[in-house]
Amino acid sequence: MIVRILGEGQLSVPDVEMTGLNELDDALGEAVESGDETRFRSALAALLGRVRQVGAALPDDALKPSELVLPGPESDLDDVRDLLGEEGLIPG
Amino acid sequence: MCRSMSVSMSVRCPLDTKGSAVAGLAKRLSLIFKAKASKAIDRAEDPRETLDYSYEKQLELLQKVRRGVADVATSRKRLELQMTGLQQQSDKLQNQAQKAIGAGREDLAREALTRRSGLQAQMGDLQAQHAQLDQEEQKLITASQRLSSKVESFRTRKETIKATYTAAEAQTKIGEAFSGISEEMSDVGLAMQRAEDKTATLQARSGAIDELLASGALEDASSSGRGDDIQRELDALGSSSDVELELAKLKGELPAGAPAKQIEAPPAGAEAAQPQQSTQQSPQQPTQQPGEAQP
């Protein structure tokens, strides 16, 4: 499975990690719904930490879409709302 | 199971297949990026044209990112110049404080140190901004290298697909590569936006600091802005002590036994002699006031 951390690039994560990452991702989704910034930041840090721990950087010339796209470590809830809000806000 | 929270979150609905109350954020974001890419492909009559068009866009973005790196570097250098300027002001105030203490003027020394601490706070702020810019610059450099590799990889893939497949076949062949590069471009585009926002904010602030440095007002950041009054007082102190030194030197040069006392202290009444003389000279005009002009 390929995971992107926005601003940092893509990592290849072994498929056996998928269940664990999905659970952390669901927790992150719930944190976003709750609108609780502290909860969001700790859920994001947990997921980013896990991805970095088990993932290996994908080669620069790889051309593969990601199954998970994570906000960068400095993102806050407003950044996430911007990303979710309108597709038009995502450039490219 | 598709519990709608808001219009903007509607993308998560098709993801809610595992029964969790809320789909993960990372999954939702991934779908948004993919949807964006597939829209672009679907729009084209011949997907092979999409490849060329996308490649042009990739090259444009690459140029933009490289310009972005240069812009951030320029802002960073400007900050460095300002930090040097503030450091010089701060050193000057430190010297002034030392001189003031040497001259026994604790009040002046205190004033200089107070202003210096104001400058130090400004410098701390600039240092934090500098660290931020430095980080943005590094991120953009890395992003531009990564994008450059992917663009080259895409070019090769695109040529192969164009040479080997019909329009209909190409559609299925380019899917992944196109989604991959599209996602990268979106990511880099976001990084560019963030860097532009940061440099714009910094440029506004550093413009204000440039003005302050140019007007010299920073030297009086905590004072009334009358120019460098500490230096003026120190100069005054310096020149009066110079006068004392010169005097002492002159006295030392006088030959022994010379009438030094007359120079040092004129005879009592010598100063009073002048007005006495003038009243003696003009006894006929007793009514003249000191302020009136002489006829």
Side-chain angles (χ1 to χ4, degrees), chain B residues 80-96:
Chain B
E80 282 163 8
L81 281 178
Q82 290 184 327
M83 282 159 70
T84 308
L86 286 179
Q87 184 62 53
Q88 282 166 354
Q89 303 255 26
S90 174
D91 290 347
K92 183 179 162 194
L93 284 166
Q94 175 75 31
N95 283 336
Q96 287 178 337

Side-chain angles (χ1 to χ4, degrees), chain B residues 16-87:
Chain B
D16 257 351
T17 50
K18 287 183 184 169
S20 65
V22 178
L25 173 70
K27 259 178 276 174
R28 278 186 253 164
L29 289 180
S30 166
L31 274 198
I32 290 177
F33 283 106
K34 278 176 187 152
K36 199 176 166 61
S38 62
K39 244 192 216 171
I41 295 182
D42 291 347
R43 235 183 274 130
E45 296 264 315
D46 183 344
R48 291 176 298 188
E49 285 166 21
T50 314
L51 294 178
D52 288 331
Y53 177 71
S54 173
Y55 182 64
E56 273 171 39
K57 287 279 161 201
Q58 292 160 28
L59 292 179
E60 272 174 33
L61 180 60
L62 199 52
Q63 283 303 313
K64 205 177 152 193
V65 174
R66 286 175 178 156
R67 273 200 305 273
V69 171
D71 286 348
V72 174
T74 306
S75 290
R76 175 179 52 78
K77 282 173 195 154
R78 188 175 176 195
L79 263 186
E80 282 163 8
L81 281 178
Q82 290 184 327
M83 282 159 70
T84 308
L86 286 179
Q87 184 62 53

Side-chain angles (χ1 to χ4, degrees), chain A residues 4-10 18 22 25-30 32-33 40 44 47 58-71 74 80-81 83-92, chain B residues 5 8-9 12 18 20 22-30 32-36 39 135-136 139 145-146 149-150 153-154 157 176-177 179-187 189-190 193-194 198:
Chain A
R4 174 181 294 273
I5 299 175
L6 287 175
E8 291 184 12
Q10 290 170 299
M18 190 120 183
N22 277 333
D25 185 28
D26 286 344
L28 181 62
E30 282 165 27
V32 170
E33 298 288 326
F40 165 73
L44 179 61
L47 186 45
L58 216 61
D60 276 0
D61 61 356
L63 286 175
K64 291 177 179 171
S66 311
E67 283 173 64
L68 295 178
V69 174
L70 278 161
E74 292 148 28
V80 170
R81 287 193 191 104
L83 285 174
L84 289 174
E86 303 254 341
E87 283 180 45
L89 280 175
I90 300 175
Chain B
M5 292 291 287
S8 66
M9 303 281 179
R12 77 188 166 76
K18 287 183 184 169
S20 65
V22 178
L25 173 70
K27 259 178 276 174
R28 278 186 253 164
L29 289 180
S30 166
I32 290 177
F33 283 106
K34 278 176 187 152
K36 199 176 166 61
K39 244 192 216 171
Q135 227 182 6
E136 288 303 321
K139 277 186 196 165
Q145 285 163 352
R146 205 164 47 222
S149 296
K150 286 192 197 301
S153 172
F154 186 87
R157 195 83 64 92
E176 199 186 59
S179 288
I181 193 85
S182 165
E183 189 185 300
E184 186 69 32
M185 288 170 74
S186 295
D187 189 355
L190 283 169
Q193 272 182 6
R194 200 176 43 235
K198 272 194 183 154

